[in-house]
C-alpha cells in the first residue's frame, strides 16, 4: 500500500500488551524479518512482533475498501481473538502521515515460534496427539462459555446452514471450470442440500440443546501454535459475525478438514474424537462429515480467490478441497438399506457386517416381531406358515415398526440397515416412500444362496437362540410367495462373505 514505509506507527498499547503470558514457553527462538500475505491481509514479522494490515479489497463476502471498514475490523479482530489468545493479541496501532492523521490501522501481535505451528509439527511427522487433545478440551470449554442468543440459534438450524451453503456456491459460480470442476460443484450442491432437507429434526435438537454459539469460525492448522503451557488458536473469523455463529461441531470440523488437507485425515478424526469427549450432546458421524465438507468448500473458495490473485498452487488446492468436500458428503449421506431374501441366505450376517462398516443402525424384523409380542428375542415361537406370531397382521405390525424407527433414525442423520425378508412388494414401496420423505438414498439388496448352503445354515441355527424361527419348510413356502424384486441387487452369499460385502459396497456406492 503506497506510503506505508514513510508513515509513522503510533501504538496504543493496552494492559494486555504488558502481560506477556507464556507465549515464549517453547524456548529461545530467533525471530527473522518476514512478510506473509493472505487473500485479505499482509502480515509483517519484525523481531518478536507481528503486524497485520488489511488489504483494501472487496471479495464479495468481505469489503475492506474503506479506511473506516479496515479500522473497525482491526478492532473487532483484536476483541474476538482475545477470547482464546489474550496474551497474543496486543493492540491496534495507527499508521499516520506526517501531520498525525490516521491513514491505516495495524493489528499488533506477539510473534509465535514457527516451529510450534501445528501444521509444521504435523508435516514434520511429530506426534501431536497430546496437543490435539489439549486443543479439543480448550475449544469445548470455549464453546461452553461462548455467547448464545436466539439470533445465533437461527444460524444453527438447517435453514441457517443452508443459506451459508448457498452463499458459498453463489460465490463459487464464477470459478466453475477454472479452476473448479463444475460436476464436482454440482454434486456437492445436490448432496449438501439433500442432507439439509431431511435433517431438520437433527439440527433443531442441537439448537435446543444449546450447541450453537459464537465460535472461532476459521480454525486451521496454520493458525494454531502448540506451546508447552497449552495451545494458542489465532485468527478467528472477524469480518462477519453470522459466519462465526456455528454449531460447536462445525467449528471443530474446520480443523479436521484442514488436517486432511495437509495429508493427515487420521489426525482430523482423532481431533473430533477428542472434541466429542469434552463437548456435550450426542455424536452424529454424518453431521461431522457434512461439516467437514462445508468447511472444505469454504477453503476451496478462498483458494479460488487466491488463484485469481495470481498465487501459485491455488488452482490445484481449490480442486483438491472440492474433492474432499464431495468425499465427505458421500460418506455422510444417510441411507436406508434393505437387506432381504429367504431364510438361510445369510442376510442377517451381511446386514450386521454392513452396519459395522457404515456405522449404521441395524434393525432386524425377527427381533422386532418378538418385541412387539412381548417376547425375548431368543424365545422360540415356531409356528406353521402364516400362523402364530407370523400371522399377516403381526407381520404388518413388524414392518410398520421397522419403518417408524427408521424414520426417526434417518431424520437425525443415521444410516439404517433393515434386515427382513422383504418378500412383499407393498413394504418395499413403503420403504422407498420413507426414504424419499426423509431425503435419504435407498439401496435394496436381495441375498441368494444355493439351496444346499441355505438348508445347512438353517440346520446349524437350530437351538442357538437365534431370533428367527424359520425352518426349511417355512423357507420353501416363503419362496413360493416371494414377489419379484427387480429393483434389488442380487448378492450371492453362498461363497465368500468378503465378496458379498464388496458387491454390496458397490451397490451402495452407486445409489
Amino acid at each position: 500500500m503506497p506510503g506505508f514505509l514513510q508513515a509513522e506507527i503510533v501504538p496504543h498499547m493496552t494492559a494486555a500488551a504488558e502481560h506477556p503470558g507464556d507465549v515464549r514457553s517453547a524456548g529461545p527462538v530467533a525471530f527473522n524479518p518476514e512478510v506473509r500475505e493472505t487473500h485479505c491481509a499482509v502480515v509483517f514479522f519484525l523481531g518478536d512482533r507481528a503486524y497485520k494490515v488489511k488489504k483494501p479489497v472487496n471479495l464479495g463476502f468481505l469489503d475492506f475498501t474503506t479506511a473506516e471498514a479496515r479500522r473497525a475490523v482491526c478492532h473487532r479482530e483484536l476483541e474476538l481473538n482475545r477470547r482464546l489468545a489474550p496474551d497474543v493479541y496486543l493492540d491496534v496501532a495507527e499508521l499516520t502521515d506526517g501531520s498525525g492523521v490516521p491513514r491505516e490501522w495495524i493489528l499488533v501481535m506477539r510473534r509465535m515460534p514457527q516451529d510450534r505451528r501445528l501444521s509444521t509439527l504435523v508435516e514434520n511427522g511429530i506426534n501431536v496427539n497430546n496437543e490435539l487433545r489439549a486443543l479439543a478440551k480448550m475449544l469445548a470449554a470455549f464453546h461452553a462459555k461462548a455467547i448464545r442468543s436466539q439470533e445465533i440459534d437461527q444460524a444453527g438450524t438447517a435453514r441457517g446452514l443452508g443459506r451459508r451453503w448457498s452463499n458459498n456456491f453463489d460465490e463459487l459460480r464464477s470459478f466453475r471450470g477454472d479452476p473448479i470442476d463444475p460436476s464436482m460443484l454440482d454434486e456437492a450442491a445436490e448432496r449438501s442440500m439433500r442432507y439439509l432437507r431431511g435433517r431438520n429434526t437433527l439440527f433443531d435438537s442441537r439448537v435446543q440443546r444449546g450447541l450453537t454459539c459464537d465460535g472461532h469460525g476459521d480454525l486451521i492448522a496454520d493458525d494454531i501454535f502448540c506451546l508447552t503451557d497449552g495451545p494458542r488458536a489465532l485468527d478467528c473469523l472477524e469480518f462477519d459475525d453470522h459466519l462465526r455463529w456455528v454449531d460447536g461441531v462445525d467449528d471443530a470440523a474446520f480443523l479436521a478438514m484442514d488436517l486432511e488437507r495437509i495429508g493427515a485425515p487420521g489426525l482430523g478424526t482423532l481431533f473430533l474424537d477428542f472434541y466429542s469427549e469434552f463437548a456435550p450432546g450426542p455424536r452424529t458421524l454424518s453431521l461431522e462429515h457434512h461439516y467437514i465438507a462445508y468447511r472444505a468448500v469454504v477453503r476451496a473458495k478462498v483458494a479460488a480467490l487466491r488463484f485469481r490473485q495470481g498465487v501459485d498452487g491455488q488452482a490445484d488446492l481449490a480442486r483438491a478441497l472440492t474433492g474432499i468436500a464431495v468425499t465427505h458428503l458421500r460418506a455422510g449421506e444417510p441411507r436406508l438399506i434393505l437387506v432381504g431374501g429367504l431364510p438361510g441366505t445369510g442376510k442377517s450376517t451381511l446386514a450386521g457386517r454392513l452396519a459395522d462398516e457404515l456405522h449404521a443402525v441395524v434393525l432386524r424384523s425377527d427381533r422386532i416381531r418378538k418385541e412387539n409380542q412381548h417376547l425375548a428375542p431368543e424365545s422360540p415361537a415356531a409356528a406353521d406358515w402364516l400362523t402364530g406370531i407370523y400371522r399377516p397382521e403381526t407381520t404388518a405390525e413388524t414392518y410398520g415398526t421397522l419403518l417408524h424407527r427408521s424414520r426417526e433414525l434417518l431424520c437425525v442423520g443415521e444410516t439404517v440397515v433393515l434386515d427382513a425378508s422383504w418378500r412383499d412388494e407393498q413394504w418395499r414401496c413403503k420403504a422407498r416412500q420413507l426414504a424419499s420423505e426423509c431425503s435419504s438414498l435407498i439401496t435394496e439388496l436381495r441375498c441368494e444362496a444355493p439351496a444346499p448352503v441355505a438348508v445347512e445354515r438353517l440346520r446349524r441355527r437350530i437351538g442357538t437362540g437365534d431370533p428367527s424361527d424359520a425352518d426349511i419348510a417355512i423357507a420353501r413356502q416363503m419362496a413360493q410367495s416371494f414377489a419379484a424384486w427387480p429393483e434389488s441387487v442380487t448378492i450371492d452369499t453362498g461363497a465368500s462373505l468378503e465378496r458379498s460385502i464388496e458387491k454390496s459396497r458397490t451397490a451402495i456406492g452407486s445409489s
Side-chain angles (χ1 to χ4, degrees):
M1 295 173 208
F4 272 20
L5 295 180
Q6 289 76 38
E8 177 185 3
I9 296 177
V10 181
H12 293 276
M13 296 303 179
T14 63
E18 303 303 321
H19 176 63
D22 293 310
V23 297
R24 290 182 292 240
S25 58
V29 179
F31 290 117
N32 298 316
E34 292 182 51
V35 178
R36 292 189 182 178
E37 185 176 353
T38 72
H39 58 294
C40 62
V42 179
V43 185
F44 302 89
F45 298 91
L46 298 171
D48 64 352
R49 292 289 188 267
Y51 303 94
K52 186 174 185 179
V53 184
K54 300 295 184 182
K55 294 180 180 178
V57 295
N58 184 345
L59 301 178
F61 58 91
L62 61 81
D63 184 353
F64 297 159
T65 52
T66 67
E68 175 56 29
R70 296 192 295 278
R71 183 198 68 79
V73 80
C74 281
H75 283 282
R76 185 64 168 152
E77 185 169 354
L78 177 72
E79 174 190 2
L80 291 169
N81 280 292
R82 281 180 172 174
R83 299 176 302 167
L84 278 168
D87 56 349
V88 177
Y89 286 80
L90 303 179
D91 210 343
V92 175
E94 292 177 358
L95 194 64
T96 70
D97 59 19
S99 65
V101 177
R103 292 187 53 192
E104 202 58 67
W105 288 266
I106 302 178
L107 185 65
V108 183
M109 299 173 284
R110 295 191 185 279
R111 189 176 182 180
M112 295 289 96
Q114 298 302 300
D115 62 340
R116 300 307 300 169
R117 190 188 294 272
L118 177 58
S119 57
T120 300
L121 296 174
V122 172
E123 289 162 356
N124 288 340
I126 296 172
N127 188 315
V128 293
N129 291 6
N130 290 337
E131 287 79 3
L132 288 178
R133 183 179 176 84
L135 179 64
K137 186 175 182 179
M138 182 185 78
L139 186 65
F142 166 65
H143 288 156
K145 297 177 181 178
I147 294 173
R148 286 163 169 76
S149 70
Q150 288 186 347
E151 189 178 10
I152 290 174
D153 283 347
Q154 289 305 305
T157 63
R159 177 175 294 183
L161 179 56
R163 282 194 294 268
R164 285 194 279 144
W165 270 111
S166 296
N167 289 341
N168 278 292
F169 288 129
D170 288 344
E171 290 158 2
L172 282 166
R173 189 174 293 119
S174 65
F175 299 105
R176 290 174 62 87
D178 188 23
I180 299 176
D181 182 346
S183 66
M184 297 292 278
L185 273 181
D186 291 343
E187 183 177 350
E190 178 185 355
R191 289 184 183 272
S192 60
M193 294 302 118
R194 180 165 57 225
Y195 186 93
L196 294 176
R197 283 194 302 271
R199 257 45 67 185
N200 280 301
T201 300
L202 170 63
F203 288 100
D204 289 348
S205 69
R206 294 186 67 81
V207 168
Q208 290 164 10
R209 288 185 170 97
L211 301 179
T212 305
C213 65
D214 187 341
H216 183 281
D218 198 16
L219 201 65
I220 62 174
D222 280 348
D223 295 332
I224 295 167
F225 294 85
C226 303
L227 308 185
T228 57
D229 66 328
R232 302 294 193 280
L234 311 186
D235 206 19
C236 80
L237 192 148
E238 82 291 348
F239 57 83
D240 186 341
D241 289 348
H242 293 83
L243 298 179
R244 211 178 47 253
W245 296 346
V246 294
D247 187 306
V249 172
D250 185 353
D251 226 8
F254 210 142
L255 181 58
M257 176 279 299
D258 202 49
L259 288 167
E260 183 168 349
R261 175 190 64 82
I262 62 177
L267 290 179
T269 300
L270 181 64
F271 178 68
L272 291 176
D273 289 343
F274 287 144
Y275 180 80
S276 69
E277 179 182 340
F278 298 114
R283 187 175 187 183
T284 304
L285 294 181
S286 72
L287 185 66
E288 293 178 6
H289 282 297
H290 188 84
Y291 279 136
I292 289 171
Y294 170 73
R295 292 305 180 177
V297 166
V298 170
R299 294 302 292 179
K301 178 181 67 177
V302 172
L305 288 167
R306 301 206 72 198
F307 158 74
R308 184 164 289 174
Q309 292 172 342
V311 180
D312 290 341
Q314 296 301 300
D316 289 341
L317 178 58
R319 287 188 285 267
L321 286 163
T322 309
I324 289 174
V326 170
T327 296
H328 282 278
L329 287 169
R330 290 171 180 171
E333 187 95 60
R335 299 172 181 271
L336 185 63
I337 302 171
L338 312 186
V339 181
L342 295 171
T345 55
K347 59 184 182 296
S348 295
T349 300
L350 180 64
R353 278 287 302 273
L354 288 175
D356 288 344
E357 285 201 6
L358 299 172
H359 302 287
V361 177
V362 61
L363 301 177
R364 185 176 178 186
S365 63
D366 293 314
R367 296 182 67 90
I368 288 177
R369 184 187 300 271
K370 290 186 174 178
E371 288 174 10
N372 285 346
Q373 301 303 312
H374 308 291
L375 296 173
E378 66 276 7
S379 299
D384 291 335
W385 175 242
L386 303 182
T387 66
I389 69 170
Y390 295 92
R391 298 187 310 277
E393 56 267 33
T394 58
T395 294
E397 182 185 10
T398 298
Y399 277 90
T401 302
L402 277 175
L403 297 179
H404 175 73
R405 293 185 185 178
S406 296
R407 180 183 297 275
E408 293 179 331
L409 291 163
L410 290 170
C411 287
V412 295
E414 299 289 350
T415 285
V416 185
V417 179
L418 295 182
D419 168 14
S421 71
W422 298 104
R423 69 180 181 87
D424 194 328
E425 173 62 14
Q426 69 165 317
W427 295 112
R428 302 174 202 154
C429 287
K430 289 181 183 295
R432 294 173 198 132
Q433 181 180 353
L434 170 63
S436 176
E437 291 171 354
C438 295
S439 289
S440 302
L441 300 179
I442 185 169
T443 304
E444 303 173 48
L445 307 175
R446 177 174 179 170
C447 296
E448 291 188 354
V453 173
V455 167
E456 180 58 26
R457 287 172 177 166
L458 290 172
R459 284 175 177 160
R460 289 202 307 265
R461 197 163 66 188
I462 296 173
T464 63
D466 189 273
S468 175
D469 296 305
D471 57 17
I472 296 170
I474 293 294
R476 288 171 178 162
Q477 289 175 301
M478 188 180 293
Q480 295 174 7
S481 63
F482 206 109
W485 196 357
E487 300 85 357
S488 66
V489 175
T490 300
I491 307 296
D492 180 1
T493 62
S496 164
L497 175 59
E498 293 306 318
R499 189 175 301 171
S500 300
I501 293 290
E502 182 59 36
K503 186 169 184 180
S504 299
R505 286 194 202 106
T506 302
I508 292 167
S510 63
S511 61

